[in-house]
Amino acid sequence: MKMNLFLALFFSLFITYQHSYAQGKDKEVLLPADTTNKVRKSDKEWKAQLTANAYQVLRKHGTERAFTGKYHDFKGKGTYVCAGCGNPLFSSKTKFDSGTGWPSFYQPVTKKNVTELVDKSYGMERVEVQCSKCDGHLGHVFEDGPEPTGLRYCINSAALQFQEDQVSKK
């Protein structure tokens, strides 16, 4: 009886370890999130707040098709904020045409507003970019961008909202 209890306990611990190891296996934090003022909502609350497309991208890690997003060829002057929580993410001053069909930026407004994680899903390794305030999926960052950083933050339009500069409104 004691042996059966021991074996059951051993296997349950082993399975728990394997599950927790597998959960973190596809994601490794490169740039940690700023945990102050985190936005936490239930799935039901996110669905009520976001458009279907924004929900799919931000909460389910979806990707919009290339050249279909409203900001891929947008030229306004201002700040792109998270469509989920309003966190300032990218300035139009760092936006460039990468030819990929998604809005591309060479740096965020500030590094603390984004979280970068190694994403090993789909049999490849990429760096996922999330909003540090609400953990919404934004897109990915690649090392093939222009100077001064050499980075290309390839971001889904559905994950963004644009706020025009007050100066350019006048």
Side-chain angles (χ1 to χ4, degrees):
M1 184 68 159
K2 286 184 182 181
M3 185 60 129
N4 287 343
L5 183 60
F6 172 76
L7 286 175
L9 180 60
F10 174 78
F11 283 117
S12 67
L13 288 173
F14 179 75
I15 289 169
T16 302
Y17 170 77
Q18 290 287 56
H19 179 71
S20 64
Y21 175 76
Q23 292 286 20
K25 190 175 175 183
D26 285 349
K27 306 275 176 149
E28 172 189 341
V29 176
L30 293 179
L31 188 61
D34 178 7
T35 57
T36 53
N37 302 316
K38 277 284 201 186
V39 173
R40 301 279 185 220
K41 295 183 181 188
S42 69
D43 198 49
K44 185 177 180 180
E45 290 172 311
W46 284 120
K47 279 184 179 179
Q49 175 188 329
L50 301 169
T51 66
N53 195 24
Y55 174 80
Q56 183 60 32
V57 169
L58 286 166
R59 307 318 309 167
K60 298 299 180 185
H61 300 260
T63 301
E64 62 196 7
R65 289 188 331 240
F67 302 101
T68 62
K70 63 182 173 181
Y71 298 126
H72 89 274
D73 197 27
F74 184 73
K75 307 281 193 254
K77 294 186 185 327
T79 304
Y80 295 85
V81 301
C82 177
C85 68
N87 191 22
L89 300 171
F90 300 97
S91 168
S92 61
K93 294 175 185 171
T94 64
K95 189 172 188 276
F96 67 98
D97 183 2
S98 64
T100 61
W102 288 280
S104 296
F105 307 87
Y106 61 79
Q107 72 185 23
V109 169
T110 178
K111 283 283 198 180
K112 73 177 187 162
N113 289 8
V114 297
T115 304
E116 296 178 7
L117 305 106
V118 173
D119 177 0
K120 295 181 181 178
S121 62
Y122 303 109
M124 62 182 129
E125 187 170 311
R126 302 176 291 176
V127 177
E128 178 185 2
V129 181
Q130 292 183 354
C131 173
S132 64
K133 192 171 180 181
C134 70
D135 296 331
H137 171 75
L138 303 172
H140 292 86
V141 62
F142 303 94
E143 295 180 343
D144 61 0
E147 293 300 326
T149 65
L151 298 175
R152 173 174 53 96
Y153 286 83
C154 190
I155 307 298
N156 291 284
S157 288
L160 301 172
Q161 288 181 343
F162 182 73
Q163 293 180 346
E164 188 175 15
D165 281 345
Q166 296 301 314
V167 174
S168 64
K169 283 185 175 180
K170 293 180 180 179

